[in-house]
Amino acid sequence: MMKILLVCAVVLGVAHAHTLHLGRTCPNVLPFPNLSVDKVLGVWYVVYKFDTSNTCLIWNITRGQLPDTLLVKETRQLAMLDLLGVDHTHAVTAMVDIPNPEVPGKMRVRWPTSALTGKADFVVFDTDYQSYLAVFECDKAGLLHRRSVTILSRTSTIDDMFVNRVRRLLDTAEVKHSALSNISHESCRRSGQHNWHVDEELFGLLPGVNEDEVRRRISEGVQDYDISQLEIIGEGVDSFRGSLKSAQDQPVV
C-alpha cells in the first residue's frame, strides 16, 4: 500500500510541475552566456517552480562520471504523503548532459519519471552563482510540449529582486510564468521513517539504496530514446525543424 501511495504521489507531483502547451516548438530561452559549470555545482534550494504543491525541494548538482555530464539529485517531501501524515523523504536523480561544451548553459536532462518523453531541454538562463539560479525545461510528446521553470537559491529564501529579474527574462522569451509557485522550506526533515530513491527505470523504487549505487545505475544505464534527435549543434539551431505549430501556442487547459 505504501508503494502504491508513493507512485501516486510521484505521478501527481510530476504532472503538476509543468504547464502543457500545443505544438512541438519550445520557446527560445537563451542560455546564460559563458556559463561556468563548476560554479553552479553544489546544493540549491528550489524556492519557485511551476505549479507544484510539493515542499522542501532541494537540488544537489554534481559532476557525472562521464565527460560533460552532471547529476541533479532532487530531494523533496511529497504533498500527498505529507497530507496523509507519512514521515518520509523522496529523492530522484537525473542525468544532465552538455551536447555542445561551447554553449554549456544549454543542456539536456533525463528525469527517471519522464520515461515516456525521454530527454528534455535544460537551459540555465540566469544566475549570479552565489545567490540564485534559474532553469527552464521543455520536453516534447506527440503534438504537445511541456514547460517548467525552476528558481533556486543558495539559501531557503530569495530576494524578490532576483525573482523579478527572472520574470522579466521570461517575459522577453515570451514564456508565461503565472504558474510559478513558492516552495515552502518550513518543517523540512533531513530523513524520515520512509526514505525512497527513484532510479533510471520508470518508477523503479529503491528503498535504502545509497547515492553511489544510484549514481552508478544512472551513469551506466541511461539510454537516450528521445523522439527528437536534432540536438544542439550550435547556438540558434532548431532542435526539430518539422515542428507542428499552434497558431498562438496556447496552453492546453
Side-chain angles (χ1 to χ4, degrees), residues 41 65 98 101 112 131 180 188:
L41 300 180
Q65 294 181 355
I98 305 172
S131 302
L180 276 173
C188 296

Side-chain angles (χ1 to χ4, degrees), residues 95-97 99 107-110 119-122 226 228 231:
M95 167 74 85
V96 177
D97 61 81
M107 311 180 198
R108 299 282 283 163
V109 65
R110 180 181 181 273
K119 287 190 177 182
D121 294 340
F122 187 92
D226 189 6
S228 175
E231 296 291 352

Side-chain angles (χ1 to χ4, degrees), residues 11-233:
V11 169
L12 289 174
V14 171
H16 291 104
H18 300 79
T19 56
L20 192 62
H21 302 258
L22 288 172
R24 287 179 48 82
T25 303
C26 291
N28 184 27
V29 177
L30 297 178
F32 188 76
N34 302 314
L35 179 72
S36 175
V37 174
D38 286 336
K39 291 183 179 180
V40 302
L41 300 180
V43 174
W44 293 91
Y45 291 81
V46 178
V47 287
Y48 282 90
K49 194 175 181 66
F50 268 14
D51 197 15
T52 181
S53 57
N54 295 322
T55 60
C56 303
L57 270 72
I58 295 177
W59 283 11
N60 186 15
I61 305 175
T62 58
R63 285 282 187 181
Q65 294 181 355
L66 301 177
D68 297 318
T69 63
L70 303 174
L71 294 177
V72 178
K73 179 183 178 182
E74 179 183 272
T75 58
R76 57 184 170 175
Q77 292 171 208
L78 298 164
M80 177 179 174
L81 298 186
D82 274 340
L83 186 63
L84 295 174
V86 178
D87 183 12
H88 76 286
T89 60
H90 172 258
V92 58
T93 302
M95 167 74 85
V96 177
D97 61 81
I98 305 172
N100 185 353
E102 294 185 1
V103 191
K106 201 165 189 176
M107 311 180 198
R108 299 282 283 163
V109 65
R110 180 181 181 273
W111 293 98
T113 48
S114 297
L116 298 179
T117 54
K119 287 190 177 182
D121 294 340
F122 187 92
V123 182
V124 175
F125 65 95
D126 199 28
T127 187
D128 68 351
Y129 301 112
Q130 298 178 349
S131 302
Y132 75 104
L133 179 74
V135 176
F136 174 74
E137 297 178 59
C138 184
D139 62 11
K140 312 174 187 72
L143 302 179
L144 304 172
H145 71 275
R146 299 188 306 170
R147 305 174 186 176
S148 183
V149 174
T150 306
I151 304 177
L152 307 103
S153 171
R154 288 294 189 184
T155 64
S156 59
T157 60
I158 190 171
D159 194 306
D160 287 342
M161 172 181 64
F162 300 129
V163 178
N164 292 335
R165 173 181 167 84
V166 171
R167 289 182 185 274
R168 289 195 298 270
L169 291 173
L170 293 172
D171 286 335
T172 300
E174 299 183 347
V175 175
K176 294 182 179 180
H177 48 77
S178 59
L180 276 173
S181 302
N182 184 232
I183 307 299
S184 173
H185 286 274
E186 297 180 1
S187 303
C188 296
R189 61 182 72 94
R190 289 184 175 272
S191 181
Q193 180 181 356
H194 303 283
N195 302 286
W196 293 284
H197 285 88
V198 176
D199 71 354
E200 74 276 12
E201 298 174 356
L202 181 62
F203 303 121
L205 303 178
L206 303 174
V209 171
N210 62 42
E211 187 169 349
D212 288 339
E213 175 64 9
V214 174
R215 183 185 295 263
R216 182 192 67 77
R217 293 188 183 206
I218 291 175
S219 295
E220 294 180 359
V222 170
Q223 296 294 325
D224 180 11
Y225 45 82
D226 189 6
I227 55 180
S228 175
Q229 289 298 319
L230 297 179
E231 296 291 352
I232 306 161
I233 299 174

